[in-house]
Amino acid sequence: MKAVSALLLGVALTGCVARGPRRDPPATATASVPGGWRTPVANGVAIAGDWWTAFGDPVLTALVERALANNVDIAIAASRIEEARAAEALARAQLSPQVGGSLPETQGQTLSPFGTPSRAIGAQPGITASFDLDLFGRLRLASRAARAQLLATAAARDTIRLATAATTASGYVTLRALDQRLAIARATLAARSDALRIARRRFETGYSSRLEYRQAQAEYAATAQLVPAAELAIARQENALSLLTGDPPRAIARGRALDRLAIPAIPDGLPADLLRRRPDLYQAEQTLVAADLTLDSQRAAFLPNLALTGTAGVVLSTALSDPVALFSLGASVLAPLFDGGRLRAQENAATARRDQAAFAYRRTALVAFREVDDALAGVQRTGKQAEDLAQQAAAASGALQNATNRYRAGYSAYIEQLDAQRNLLTAQLSLVQAQTDRLTSYVALYQAMGGGWTRPVPTG
């Protein structure tokens, strides 16, 4: 099965490398991460459980850890593991002897040689045992398939944990970006308010036309609507993060500003086998193993089955002077002769499920490489874009200062200052978006790499 998995992974790798006020909670609030996050997976490695600390924000770290501790989807996944563990125990129990006891009681009448009836009371305690020899491994294969399914279920839980951590980190970055947009909107609104005051005074004294005054009014109103829009987006983002952390809608603590979050370093030449740490890839692999073992178990059902049975007991009765010991030992051979095609249909269904699992494993590997490549491209392109936009914002800020000085000195019309303000606002908002996209690309890369790109220390 390992050879099949390696072959499929090799094929996949080809060609790829109305709302009340909120009170902010204390920024130091923390929550413990549930045990088992670093669940051992393929090749004895472990999922990196603290990649979100690379951004250097303690508030972000506390928020992600709270989500991992309280998220409802993770709790549901944990209960599915318990269900799979019970199914494995049930399959393993089929390999053990089955022992039972009985204590039937009888009452009746007996006749003496002289024809005199008498009442007799008796009991026959006994023990029965049966054991399936499993000559062709049908039960052993089913037990191993249940074990593989348990591992796949555990990997599914780790997939949900990784997605929860990534979504929480991205949501926090988005929240800080919205805070930055709100700050830009308020600063621009203050500048527009000052421009509106100057335009009104110039209009009232006859130094400018009504057109300039109306333009200033329109620009002030256009900027003012950005503030409640940003506040609404912030409230909704806080609610989304509260849902991830398993809490009712609440205010979310803030840490570092968007442009103060650390940028993790990415080493060159990342090995492709790091992707084997991805829990979804390991889940697909174990699902394929379980399907393959189930197919072998279905094929073993065509072969004869040998079972041993035995009973031992004693007969106790008032009609007997001494107890009578009884025992029996036997064997039964059961072989399918004619079942109307039931076993053949079950084998065909198991074969189809095995093929589906094989294709799903290959698709998961291909998706993994696509996600890594997309995230790497996002990190590189958005980083360059953010640098260019930072230069544009700096130039636009200087142009606005020059336009404002010229307008106040009477050397230019108000439209020149207005265009400079618009350009600066657009550049600032675009810069915030590029910084957000860059940080979320790092989060996506962490998720695509199964929790990071550092080789963990082998466990065990």
Side-chain angles (χ1 to χ4, degrees):
M1 195 63 248
K2 291 183 178 179
V4 174
S5 301
L7 176 61
L8 289 174
L9 182 60
V11 173
L13 302 187
T14 304
C16 302
V17 158
R19 181 184 183 90
R22 296 173 179 238
R23 290 183 300 176
D24 290 340
T28 57
T30 59
S32 59
V33 181
W37 165 250
R38 295 176 176 84
T39 304
V41 292
N43 298 332
V45 300
I47 297 173
D50 54 356
W51 55 264
W52 47 85
T53 61
F55 295 97
D57 190 340
V59 176
L60 170 60
T61 298
L63 191 66
V64 172
E65 291 178 351
R66 184 176 182 85
L68 293 176
N70 300 333
N71 186 265
V72 177
D73 292 332
I74 296 177
I76 294 175
S79 66
R80 292 196 182 112
I81 293 179
E82 296 303 320
E83 180 182 2
R85 183 173 287 113
E88 183 206 10
L90 179 62
R92 194 169 55 247
Q94 302 299 319
L95 298 171
S96 303
Q98 308 296 314
V99 181
S102 62
L103 184 62
E105 180 183 353
T106 59
Q107 296 185 11
Q109 291 184 341
T110 62
L111 293 177
S112 66
F114 304 100
T116 303
S118 62
R119 186 174 185 82
I121 300 176
Q124 187 176 341
I127 296 176
T128 62
S130 62
F131 179 62
D132 192 329
L133 294 182
D134 194 24
L135 294 178
F136 299 99
R138 175 178 55 87
L139 298 180
R140 291 190 297 273
L141 290 169
S143 177
R144 290 170 56 192
R147 174 63 180 173
Q149 192 58 49
L150 173 60
L151 295 176
T153 305
R157 176 204 57 189
D158 287 343
T159 301
I160 295 176
R161 284 179 169 178
L162 184 58
T164 299
T167 304
T168 304
S170 297
Y172 179 81
V173 170
T174 301
L175 179 62
R176 298 306 284 137
L178 291 172
D179 292 338
Q180 188 72 14
R181 293 176 69 91
L182 178 60
I184 292 173
R186 286 174 174 171
T188 305
L189 183 62
R192 296 282 169 86
S193 176
D194 185 60
L196 177 61
R197 179 181 55 82
I198 296 175
R200 180 188 297 113
R201 187 178 59 192
R202 290 170 64 90
F203 168 68
E204 290 174 350
T205 57
Y207 284 100
S208 65
S209 65
R210 182 183 294 272
L211 175 61
E212 289 187 358
Y213 177 50
R214 292 302 186 189
Q215 287 176 329
Q217 285 182 319
E219 289 302 318
Y220 178 85
T223 306
Q225 61 87 24
L226 295 178
V227 174
E231 292 174 341
L232 175 60
I234 289 173
R236 289 176 174 173
Q237 189 64 24
E238 286 182 323
N239 292 342
L241 287 171
S242 299
L243 178 62
L244 285 171
T245 57
D247 298 314
R250 64 184 181 93
I252 301 298
R254 307 297 203 269
R256 291 189 174 187
L258 182 68
D259 56 356
R260 297 291 304 278
L261 291 175
I263 302 298
I266 304 177
D268 296 330
L270 293 175
D273 61 353
L274 282 178
L275 287 188
R276 291 185 61 83
R277 295 187 304 174
R278 281 179 58 121
D280 59 340
L281 191 60
Y282 184 64
Q283 176 188 0
E285 179 180 333
Q286 291 303 313
T287 301
L288 176 57
V289 171
D292 200 47
L293 291 172
T294 301
L295 174 59
D296 292 340
S297 178
Q298 291 293 340
R299 287 172 175 170
F302 286 93
L303 303 175
N305 189 38
L306 176 62
L308 300 178
T309 57
T311 60
V314 63
V315 177
L316 303 173
S317 176
T318 57
L320 299 175
S321 59
D322 296 313
V324 177
L326 301 174
F327 72 91
S328 65
L329 180 64
S332 61
V333 178
L334 180 63
L337 298 178
F338 178 76
D339 61 357
R342 179 176 60 87
L343 292 178
R344 180 63 63 185
Q346 290 177 348
E347 182 198 13
N348 292 338
T351 301
R353 286 192 292 268
R354 192 274 311 274
D355 294 342
Q356 294 170 21
F359 285 116
Y361 177 77
R362 184 175 186 272
R363 180 189 60 191
T364 303
L366 292 173
V367 170
F369 276 90
R370 175 199 168 182
E371 290 177 351
V372 170
D373 194 67
D374 288 348
L376 283 172
V379 167
Q380 296 170 358
R381 302 298 183 270
T382 55
K384 182 62 170 61
Q385 182 184 16
E387 294 176 1
D388 294 339
L389 286 171
Q391 296 178 4
Q392 179 186 359
S397 177
L400 175 59
Q401 184 64 40
N402 293 336
T404 302
N405 293 337
R406 286 171 57 83
Y407 172 67
R408 290 180 177 179
Y411 290 109
S412 64
Y414 177 68
I415 191 63
E416 184 177 302
Q417 181 189 22
L418 187 59
D419 288 339
Q421 287 178 335
R422 290 172 179 172
N423 292 335
L424 177 59
L425 177 61
T426 301
Q428 289 177 331
L429 295 179
S430 298
L431 176 59
V432 169
Q433 186 61 50
Q435 292 172 337
T436 305
D437 293 341
R438 186 184 187 186
L439 290 170
T440 54
S441 294
Y442 276 100
V443 174
L445 183 59
Y446 274 117
Q447 183 179 8
M449 296 296 296
W453 42 81
T454 303
R455 284 190 176 276
V457 179
T459 60

